[in-house]
Amino acid sequence: MEKKFSVFVYGTLKSGEPNHKTLAETGGEYRFVSSGTTMEKFPLVVGTKFNIPFLLDDAGNGNVSLFFVWKKLQ
């Protein structure tokens, strides 16, 4: 049996960003649960030739980051 899980997303998977459809257009396989922000500031860096975002483990520097939580239903 496949396990259900939740996923925390930021960067290009957020609503309005280019990879958002990866979760939103799955025929109901994933459901949006909630949004929030990190309690502390963290640096967000967009790197590699694929523009992949990374939150760096440097609490207190950077900005508060917006994130979304999605849950796998099937």
Side-chain angles (χ1 to χ4, degrees):
M1 174 180 259
E2 188 174 322
K3 292 185 178 183
K4 295 178 184 171
F5 59 89
S6 296
V7 62
F8 162 101
V9 300
Y10 61 95
T12 61
L13 287 169
K14 294 187 318 187
S15 178
E17 297 296 333
N19 292 321
H20 176 71
K21 64 183 178 200
T22 303
L23 292 171
E25 297 176 7
T26 61
E29 185 175 357
Y30 293 89
R31 179 177 57 90
F32 173 77
V33 176
S34 183
S35 64
T37 60
T38 56
M39 293 178 67
E40 296 186 64
K41 294 179 178 182
F42 289 93
L44 176 65
V45 176
V46 178
T48 81
K49 66 181 181 180
F50 302 107
N51 293 321
I52 298 171
F54 301 91
L55 281 177
L56 300 181
D57 187 10
D58 191 12
N61 292 307
N63 297 297
V64 171
S65 293
L66 175 66
F67 64 87
F68 294 94
V69 177
W70 288 74
K71 184 170 188 161
K72 183 174 172 108
L73 300 176
Q74 300 173 1

